[in-house]
Amino acid sequence: MGFLSVLGMAQRLVAERVSPGDAVVDATCGGGVDTRFLAGLVGPHGIVYGFDVQPEALARTRGRLSPLAAEGRLPGLRLVLGSHSLMAEHVDRALHGRISAVMFNLGFLPGGETDKTVISRPETTLPALDASLALLRPGGVLTAVLYPGHPGGRQEAEAVEAWAGALPQSLGQAMLYRMAQKPDAPYLVAAEKKAAPVPAE
Ligand code: SAH
């Protein structure tokens, strides 16, 4: 049957940690696939923040969510045209430290008409990862799908990998999920924020 795809693994890690009513973040809306996935997990009582720097991506995301809207199953949706590196400014202060999951799917917006030079970059991706970790609840997860195959993609992937490798274990646990025979294929970095210690009896 083969191993789970990289995107499938990202979704599994998130689904295991998100419950109805939770607040979550899609850091790179792109075509809206992860936003739609997150909306389904948190349901109508949850909140989904979505970020993208391109209006086209937010429009596609709204389109992908319209069936949910038609069924009245849309969560509280906050789509932000802006960089994920500023996510802490957009997420309600009351939700800082309470976000269950943040998903990144890096690279460029796929599709015929899109500008492939608009790519995510380490200068903004790394601050966004730091911001995500601060926003997560203990036990919450961030996932980042990396694309080493396009120009600039490998440098970004390596920067994210280095970020994960340098994450102090006191803050969280980081993992890599990668097909060992396919060095150019997309791969996953995930980090789980350290759960709060169980109070002594
Ligand atoms: N590579 C994936 C899709 C990634 S879409 C695939 O092939 O399926 C990545 C999205 O990130 C794009 O829509 C792009 O506009 C967005 N993006 C780039 N820089 C960003 C930033 N600083 N903040 C938020 N979104 C960003």
Side-chain angles (χ1 to χ4, degrees):
M1 62 181 263
F3 294 119
L4 260 185
S5 71
V6 163
L7 295 172
M9 180 60 102
Q11 293 196 340
R12 176 186 285 194
L13 293 171
V14 167
E16 286 169 351
R17 291 165 178 82
V18 172
S19 305
D22 282 0
V24 294
V25 176
D26 184 350
T28 50
C29 286
V33 173
D34 288 335
T35 322
R36 167 70 186 81
F37 169 72
L38 289 166
L41 289 179
V42 303
H45 301 298
I47 298 178
V48 180
Y49 288 91
F51 294 86
D52 207 290
V53 290
Q54 299 190 75
E56 160 76 14
L58 297 188
R60 281 202 214 171
T61 299
R62 279 198 192 88
R64 200 177 289 277
L65 290 166
S66 57
L68 274 189
E71 295 165 12
R73 293 195 291 125
L74 209 57
L77 192 63
R78 318 275 155 80
L79 295 183
V80 178
L81 179 64
S83 176
H84 45 217
S85 52
L86 303 176
M87 69 170 80
E89 294 175 16
H90 294 279
V91 172
D92 194 329
R93 278 220 66 88
L95 294 172
H96 288 206
R98 293 172 181 252
I99 298 291
S100 297
V102 184
M103 299 185 82
F104 291 79
N105 190 350
L106 297 168
F108 55 80
L109 180 62
E113 303 286 289
T114 61
D115 181 353
K116 308 292 185 299
T117 63
V118 182
I119 56 172
S120 52
R121 296 176 189 279
E123 308 87 86
T124 39
T125 303
L126 298 183
L129 292 170
D130 286 332
S132 302
L133 207 61
L135 291 173
L136 285 177
R137 66 166 171 80
V141 73
L142 76 82
T143 59
V145 177
L146 309 172
Y147 293 81
H150 68 79
R154 185 169 305 277
Q155 290 91 314
E156 180 180 45
E158 286 172 357
V160 172
E161 223 182 296
W163 177 89
L167 182 69
Q169 291 184 42
S170 56
L171 293 185
Q173 238 189 347
M175 66 98 95
L176 279 177
Y177 181 66
R178 185 168 199 171
M179 300 305 148
Q181 300 129 309
K182 296 185 180 171
D184 292 333
Y187 65 104
L188 174 69
V189 163
E192 186 192 63
K193 185 159 168 174
K194 197 169 173 66
V198 180
E201 292 282 312

